[in-house]
Amino acid sequence: MSKVEEAAETSVLQIPVEGMTCASCVQRVERAIGKVDGVESVDVNLATNKATVRSKNGMPAKTIIDVVTGGGYDVPLTTGVIDVGGMTCANCVNRVRKALAKVEGVVAADVNLATEQATVEYVPGAVETDELLAAVTSAGYEAAWHEDVAEDDAETRQEAARKKLLRRVVFAAAFTLPIIILDMGGMMIPAFGAWLHETLGRQGLHVLLFTLGSVVQFGPGLQFYRTGWASIRHGSPDMNALVMIGTTAAYGYSVVATFAPGILPEGTAHVYFEAAAVIITLILVGRYLETIARGRTSDAIRKLLRIQPRTARVMRGDEAVEVEIEAVVPGDRIVVRPGEKVPVDGVVESGSSFIDESMISGEPVPVEKEEGAEVIGGTMNRTGSFVFRATRVGRDTVLAQIISMVESAQASRPPIQRLADRVVAVFVPVVLVIAALTFAVWMIFGPDPALTFAVVNMVAVLIIACPCAMGLATPTSVMVGTGRAADMGVLFRKGEALQSLRDAEVVALDKTGTLTEGQPRVVDVVAHGAVTQDELLRLTAALEIRSEHPIAEAIVDEANDRGLPLADVSDFEALPGFGVVGTVDGRHIVAGARRLLEREAADLGPIDGHLQRLSSAGNSVVAVAIDGVGAGIIAVADPIKPSTPAAIRQLHELGFRVAMITGDNEATARSVAKAVGIDEVVADVLPDGKVDAVKRLSEGGRRVAFVGDGINDAPALAAADVGIAVGTGTDIAIESADVVLMSGDLLGVARAFSLSKATIRNIKQNLFWAFAYNVVLIPVAAGVLYPSFGILMNPMFAALAMALSSVFVITNSLRLKRWQPEIAA
């Protein structure tokens, strides 16, 4: 089954998940959703806070949401109100409600006949607002949004979440600071300590610390209990559970020491309210810093969203009227003035201008646009004004597809993440075991007061062991890396492609349209016998006008340039990879590759010498036979792109072996390969043979990346270990690829490979520090340095180190935003 067919049968639903704080949370949500019948796969991304669920025949959003919320996490929902016209009875209400309920991503729909409104609760991002309106109109009713903006702005929600977390931090700090002053100030300033004991007494001071500590423990700290207990109840403890157990141990021990010290061994009735409060406060501070840093990882998406124009000047009769972008439909004629953005995709009808397309292609030089030229929504009009006809709007525009590709790539995970996933799956249970062993060892072998040492070190182990950094190591790098790639006109359709590119050894390139301009022109016409050059061109062009091959277009263009009238054709047949056959003016014409004329048993003797001469010169040659006899040759040359030699050189510098796969004959192919420095040539390949060519190149275990742009490249793009489509190519080729170059510049291939290496290197750095942090500090927290050096880790320092570990990983990922290719531009 092809990738396109699989995509058509598989339904993908993206659910935002709030409350996840570490890789254990990710594991828990994935396992919970994965148990739902019908779910094929689920990817949960800690950096984007989204769960991507793939299922056959769709999966009700409410089912997934119930599973997620049942695990102690939240799913933010958006509520929109639709004005519905034409409803007259209860049956109308039921019809509208059922139509809305069928839309994937809708959780609930309530329709009110009296107010003529439908209230829809849906998952933001999983369903587009225009889909909801379309559902109502398809049911036979009029529909319009009651409010201008029905969908919550993601950035506004993120800012609200940050402010909420900041309030918790401030609240916790306001009560923690007095605890620190009261508890530790007395030790640091003896006079202050003496005054406290005289004024409050030891018991009074402990009661005051208990009061302040309880506010922190069950105020800002309550969230750890809610999520942590839910994770334990579901048999999958997470980082919240570690914090909950650790702080509860310190707090509970202190409560006993305050109100029932007699049940503790003599000399062990110490209070640790300050440790529990500081731990909670520091972890909240760390989460706040982490939220700020994580927000910067999604800058690429926000930047793309800001590019989208909000309005368009649409021609209504003879007047240009400004309308909301959602109101633009295909076929609308739109006016664009100097300095304005092109609102949607379309084709220029009148006027001309230069347009900055750097947001699409990464190329800074404005592109000239005249009548018939395509324009892309979101690009900036520099000079001149023009009128264009809209062809693609809404989710069909190039910009919308780019945003979708970037979001999809950021939501997926490269194979390197599997190592972290396997570790995280057992990490927290192992930490709980280590904490229990720590407590037991200190109780049995520790010095007096053993219970105090046991509790403090157990708490330190629980707090220091944070799987957050491991969970963020990969997705944050992928988010920043794919965003940086989008800035350069390189789109990763899948996060896995980042690692696949880095692991590739051979880069196989299609020739026409990839290495070359893809716009060949006739450079020579050789006629034999009584047939003149013009006659040979006229007869051949009559056939080729029915073909979509670039060489056929070049022949037709040459005939048109010479003003040759094209005759009617009968019995036409196109043979992909061979050529064309048909009857023109009563004569049987065969035009194409040498192998076609040989298959048709045509006499090649009269033109064989010319055929070899023109082929060896690097031209693509079309041999023509009339009534079974070779009548002439049309030589076509496709200019090599100016950037091709530099791109091949840079791929060599990156350590890749470069191959070319083409349907051209061996001589032509080797001539082009020699000119640009290609290592291997696979010539005379039919369209369906490119897959076999890719397989041959992969012999010996070599991993192959294939670069192409045409319809006939789609199978090879899908068959390669990683497929790279040149964005100037066809939609089918792009859909079959893993990476898309928005411009036809092959230097983008080298940039994609170089960025892939940089991103995977960044991920490995993150994973190393995340693992090393835990491997080194958990034993320290357990007290392994105490026998030799007398060193113990204070649980408060453990909390600080834990909080900073995630911030370190994210900050390291953000370095990719400033990444520049290691190769020369």
Side-chain angles (χ1 to χ4, degrees):
M1 183 181 294
S2 70
K3 291 182 180 180
V4 176
E5 289 173 334
E6 286 181 357
E9 290 188 13
T10 301
S11 175
V12 180
L13 180 66
Q14 279 200 336
I15 302 286
V17 181
E18 290 184 348
M20 296 189 299
T21 57
C22 65
S24 292
C25 298
V26 171
Q27 289 282 316
R28 202 165 112 231
V29 174
E30 283 189 346
R31 280 198 295 268
I33 296 176
K35 292 178 182 177
V36 177
D37 289 338
V39 170
E40 289 188 330
S41 67
V42 55
D43 287 329
V44 178
N45 191 305
L46 183 60
T48 61
N49 285 326
K50 285 183 179 179
T52 303
V53 185
R54 294 174 177 81
S55 60
K56 290 287 186 183
N57 303 320
M59 175 62 59
K62 191 175 187 311
T63 303
I64 303 300
I65 291 170
D66 289 343
V67 171
V68 173
T69 55
Y73 301 95
D74 294 323
V75 176
L77 300 176
T78 296
T79 300
V81 179
I82 301 175
D83 292 326
V84 183
M87 295 190 299
T88 58
C89 64
N91 284 337
C92 297
V93 171
N94 288 332
R95 187 182 302 176
V96 173
R97 184 171 57 243
K98 288 179 180 178
L100 288 169
K102 287 180 181 177
V103 178
E104 190 171 352
V106 170
V107 177
D110 186 27
V111 183
N112 191 310
L113 182 61
T115 59
E116 291 190 321
Q117 289 181 340
T119 303
V120 188
E121 193 176 29
Y122 59 97
V123 180
V127 56
E128 297 290 337
T129 54
D130 57 354
E131 289 180 274
L132 300 174
L133 296 180
V136 177
T137 55
S138 65
Y141 303 93
E142 298 172 1
W145 282 107
H146 181 65
E147 300 177 9
D148 291 337
V149 181
E151 202 170 339
D152 289 340
D153 183 78
E155 193 169 356
T156 302
R157 289 201 307 272
Q158 289 176 2
E159 184 61 27
R162 280 195 290 269
K163 288 180 178 178
K164 182 179 179 181
L165 187 52
L166 179 59
R167 287 194 296 270
R168 286 178 175 172
V169 169
V170 172
F171 184 88
F175 284 88
T176 300
L177 187 59
I179 297 176
I180 295 174
I181 293 173
L182 292 171
D183 187 71
M184 304 184 72
M187 290 185 278
M188 298 176 65
I189 307 174
F192 178 64
W195 177 81
L196 283 176
H197 281 284
E198 287 177 9
T199 306
L200 299 175
R202 186 172 184 272
Q203 182 64 14
L205 178 60
H206 285 184
V207 171
L208 179 57
L209 293 175
F210 161 76
T211 304
L212 294 171
S214 297
V215 173
V216 177
Q217 190 76 25
F218 302 107
L222 188 60
Q223 61 174 315
F224 297 110
Y225 284 91
R226 287 173 177 164
T227 310
W229 178 246
S231 70
I232 293 175
R233 194 173 67 248
H234 287 83
S236 178
D238 63 359
M239 174 235 167
N240 295 283
L242 296 180
V243 175
M244 179 188 73
I245 295 171
T247 58
T248 300
Y251 174 83
Y253 184 90
S254 303
V255 170
V256 173
T258 299
F259 297 105
I263 67 175
L264 296 175
E266 186 176 350
T268 64
H270 305 294
V271 295
Y272 297 97
F273 291 116
E274 88 289 349
V278 169
I279 287 169
I280 289 174
T281 303
L282 285 177
I283 291 174
L284 290 175
V285 169
R287 285 190 179 179
Y288 178 70
L289 295 175
E290 179 185 315
T291 301
I292 294 174
R294 282 167 63 178
R296 292 181 59 200
T297 64
S298 56
D299 281 348
I301 291 292
R302 282 198 292 270
K303 188 189 299 183
L304 290 170
L305 289 172
R306 291 191 190 107
I307 288 173
Q308 293 179 308
R310 300 300 179 189
T311 61
R313 294 173 56 81
V314 179
M315 295 298 297
R316 297 288 189 246
D318 296 329
E319 184 181 356
V321 179
E322 189 166 305
V323 301
E324 295 294 322
I325 197 70
E326 292 81 9
V328 178
V329 297
D332 277 346
R333 297 175 66 243
I334 301 171
V335 179
V336 182
R337 297 176 297 189
E340 293 182 339
K341 287 182 179 179
V342 179
V344 295
D345 298 357
V347 177
V348 176
E349 285 196 341
S350 62
S352 63
S353 183
F354 282 86
I355 294 181
D356 180 357
E357 295 185 340
S358 58
M359 51 76 76
I360 298 293
S361 64
E363 301 300 328
V365 181
V367 181
E368 186 176 8
K369 299 291 182 179
E370 296 179 330
E371 185 177 339
E374 289 190 6
V375 290
I376 300 171
T379 54
M380 178 64 73
N381 182 30
R382 292 299 185 193
T383 61
S385 61
F386 59 92
V387 177
F388 75 96
R389 186 172 297 279
T391 55
R392 292 187 294 265
V393 301
R395 291 192 301 172
D396 296 328
T397 64
V398 169
L399 180 58
Q401 291 174 25
I402 289 175
I403 292 172
S404 177
M405 285 185 193
V406 174
E407 287 180 330
S408 177
Q410 292 184 344
S412 59
R413 295 176 296 178
I416 195 173
Q417 175 69 19
R418 294 171 190 158
L419 171 62
D421 289 344
R422 287 196 294 269
V423 173
V424 166
V426 297
F427 181 79
V428 175
V430 168
V431 169
L432 291 173
V433 171
I434 293 174
L437 289 173
T438 299
F439 182 85
V441 169
W442 278 96
M443 281 295 294
I444 298 171
F445 302 106
D448 291 329
L451 179 60
T452 299
F453 278 107
V455 170
V456 171
N457 290 313
M458 179 191 71
V459 171
V461 169
L462 291 169
I463 299 304
I464 197 70
C466 172
C468 297
M470 284 184 280
L472 290 168
T474 299
T476 51
S477 292
V478 170
M479 286 185 70
V480 181
T482 52
R484 181 71 185 101
D487 289 340
M488 299 186 300
V490 179
L491 301 180
F492 287 88
R493 297 186 69 243
K494 303 174 183 178
E496 296 94 324
L498 277 168
Q499 186 166 345
S500 300
L501 273 181
R502 180 247 182 204
D503 295 336
E505 300 167 73
V506 179
V507 181
L509 304 160
D510 171 57
K511 183 176 79 70
T512 305
T514 303
L515 289 170
T516 63
E517 296 285 358
Q519 296 178 331
R521 59 178 181 269
V522 173
V523 294
D524 201 354
V525 179
V526 176
H528 176 73
V531 179
T532 65
Q533 287 187 359
D534 283 357
E535 181 69 2
L536 184 71
L537 263 175
R538 186 183 72 84
L539 294 173
T540 307
L543 286 177
E544 298 287 13
I545 197 171
R546 298 193 177 197
S547 172
E548 296 180 354
H549 196 282
I551 292 178
E553 292 180 9
I555 294 173
V556 173
D557 288 344
E558 181 68 17
N560 289 334
D561 290 345
R562 296 191 184 193
L564 303 176
L566 304 185
D568 292 332
V569 178
S570 60
D571 303 324
F572 175 81
E573 184 180 6
L575 304 168
F578 287 87
V580 291
V581 178
T583 302
V584 182
D585 291 344
R587 288 182 280 185
H588 182 64
I589 310 296
V590 178
R594 181 190 190 100
R595 55 181 172 266
L596 175 61
L597 273 68
E598 291 174 343
R599 197 183 79 169
E600 295 289 320
D603 181 9
L604 286 173
I607 61 172
D608 194 45
H610 297 295
L611 190 60
Q612 294 181 22
R613 175 178 61 82
L614 292 172
S615 296
S616 62
N619 300 305
S620 295
V621 293
V622 175
V624 183
I626 301 176
D627 294 330
V629 179
I633 299 165
I634 300 174
V636 177
D638 185 4
I640 295 171
K641 291 179 181 178
S643 61
T644 294
I648 302 301
R649 187 168 58 252
Q650 291 180 359
L651 288 173
H652 283 146
E653 290 174 3
L654 289 169
F656 296 106
R657 186 168 180 80
V658 183
M660 179 176 70
I661 300 175
T662 179
D664 277 345
N665 62 69
E666 186 81 16
T668 301
R670 293 205 173 276
S671 175
V672 173
K674 183 178 180 181
V676 298
I678 285 176
D679 304 308
E680 294 184 48
V681 174
V682 183
D684 290 308
V685 177
L686 300 179
D688 57 357
K690 289 188 177 182
V691 172
D692 292 331
V694 168
K695 290 179 179 178
R696 288 203 301 274
L697 289 171
S698 65
E699 289 176 356
R702 298 192 303 181
R703 298 182 65 81
V704 177
F706 179 77
V707 185
D709 75 324
I711 291 176
N712 59 359
D713 293 329
L717 287 167
D721 293 298
V722 57
I724 305 174
V726 177
T728 50
T730 65
D731 290 340
I732 293 177
I734 291 173
E735 284 298 317
S736 303
D738 303 300
V739 184
V740 178
L741 307 180
M742 294 310 296
S743 73
D745 190 346
L746 270 187
L747 288 171
V749 177
R751 284 196 289 266
F753 279 109
S754 187
L755 179 59
S756 168
K757 290 176 180 290
T759 304
I760 296 301
R761 183 167 59 247
N762 189 271
I763 291 173
K764 287 184 174 181
Q765 291 168 353
N766 286 347
L767 288 173
F768 170 79
W769 286 112
F771 284 123
Y773 160 85
N774 285 286
V775 169
V776 171
L777 292 186
I778 287 179
V780 173
V784 295
L785 298 180
Y786 185 79
S788 301
F789 304 100
I791 296 175
L792 288 176
M793 179 176 287
N794 189 304
M796 291 185 288
F797 289 110
L800 179 62
M802 185 270 280
L804 293 178
S805 65
S806 296
V807 177
F808 173 84
V809 164
I810 298 173
T811 303
N812 186 53
S813 298
L814 288 171
R815 292 191 306 112
L816 287 171
K817 296 181 72 173
R818 300 188 301 274
W819 175 86
Q820 293 295 333
E822 300 170 2
I823 49 185

